[in-house]
Amino acid sequence: MKIKVGMAKINKYAMQHCGDSFDIIERPYGGLSAVIADGQGNGLAAHHTSSWVVNKAASLIADGARDGAVARAVHDYLYAMKDKKVSCTLTLLSADLESETVVISRNSNCPTIVKTDEYLTIYDDEVSPIGVNRHMKPLVYELPFAPGMIVVSFTDGIAHAGKKYDGASMDMKKILAIIEDNAPEDCDFIAKSILEYALSLDKDKAGDDMTVVVMGIAEATADAPKIEQLSASYPF
């Protein structure tokens, strides 16, 4: 099998800096983790917050910390550094080769969607963001690897798309249709399609920072060379 990760992101309209941050980290015993953070507010201050949170989480994952412990530790740092006055949502998506599971750690008001050949589940239990409530804890879900698995997470710019326009609001059924009509190999396409759908609801002027991250577990030819690949596009 192989792990695929796709991401699509756009700043809030007319803002120079994006308040969302994202990174991919190779896990110490094999596999990948995707970290998504959305800092409180917009602009440079939110960018600094989310970037700091993502970098701290990436460092802890690389050091071997488990995802739930990573979320707690990053919360404690943010809580202390910002004097419990700044919040940030944080989602970790991990494909862990040691346990052969996908681990989802949520401190976000947005759902995480999991689709396999056998089922489709939306994890949207209420949970606090990090940085403000002293006794915060993440919601952690652990699922066994399954070929064909697709995991999708996004920030609230996607969830709230279209709200400032009459008659337009994000339809979860359309997002689910994009996921169901594509395969794990199409992670980049799924992420971009969901973002483009949300952006269309905002008349191509994003009402908030938008980030979509998609992780897939796909079949791979057993004797194929194990070539790792990563691509990025950064418009300016």
Side-chain angles (χ1 to χ4, degrees):
M1 290 188 287
K2 60 183 176 182
I3 304 162
K4 300 276 289 185
V5 178
M7 186 275 290
K9 181 172 77 168
I10 193 169
N11 300 4
K12 180 179 179 179
Y13 179 69
M15 298 294 290
Q16 183 178 0
H17 300 281
C18 186
D20 297 351
S21 293
F22 164 79
D23 201 2
I24 300 173
I25 306 94
E26 186 172 4
R27 299 183 67 82
Y29 295 103
L32 296 174
S33 289
V35 184
I36 315 105
D38 180 1
Q40 179 179 320
N42 299 106
L44 189 58
H47 172 73
H48 286 327
T49 298
S50 65
S51 180
W52 183 89
V53 163
V54 164
N55 289 337
K56 181 65 71 174
S59 175
L60 291 167
I61 290 169
D63 286 341
R66 290 176 292 179
D67 289 20
V70 169
R72 287 179 171 87
V74 175
H75 161 74
D76 289 343
Y77 280 120
L78 183 62
Y79 184 89
M81 292 290 289
K82 298 295 185 178
D83 194 25
K84 58 189 177 185
K85 294 178 181 177
V86 176
S87 66
C88 185
T89 66
L90 174 65
T91 302
L92 308 178
L93 306 179
S94 295
D96 185 358
L97 295 191
E98 185 178 31
S99 62
E100 296 189 348
T101 59
V102 169
V103 182
I104 302 162
S105 175
R106 285 182 59 242
N107 284 103
S108 172
N109 54 354
C110 295
T112 295
I113 303 162
V114 178
K115 180 244 177 190
T116 71
D117 294 339
E118 304 297 328
Y119 63 86
L120 188 149
T121 301
I122 301 174
Y123 294 105
D124 58 358
D125 310 87
E126 187 174 345
V127 64
S128 299
I130 66 171
V132 177
N133 299 316
R134 183 68 185 94
H135 298 291
M136 181 288 308
K137 63 179 181 179
L139 293 176
V140 180
Y141 317 88
E142 189 167 5
L143 308 166
F145 278 172
M149 178 179 280
I150 300 173
V151 184
V152 178
S153 186
F154 46 81
T155 58
D156 58 5
I158 301 292
H160 299 157
K163 282 195 171 182
K164 64 181 180 180
Y165 296 99
D166 293 338
S169 60
M170 194 273 286
D171 185 350
M172 181 61 78
K173 290 181 180 178
K174 292 190 177 182
I175 290 180
L176 296 179
I178 292 170
I179 297 169
E180 291 176 331
D181 289 345
N182 290 281
E185 292 88 345
D186 305 319
C187 285
D188 288 331
F189 179 79
I190 295 170
K192 188 176 180 183
S193 296
I194 292 173
L195 186 138
E196 287 177 342
Y197 163 62
L199 196 56
S200 71
L201 297 177
D202 279 343
K203 313 298 183 186
D204 291 332
K205 297 180 179 179
D208 195 0
D209 303 309
M210 297 180 176
T211 301
V212 187
V213 176
V214 182
M215 177 176 283
I217 307 296
E219 291 280 15
T221 305
D223 56 353
K226 295 183 178 181
I227 300 172
E228 298 179 16
Q229 294 176 273
L230 180 67
S231 63
S233 177
Y234 190 97
F236 62 93

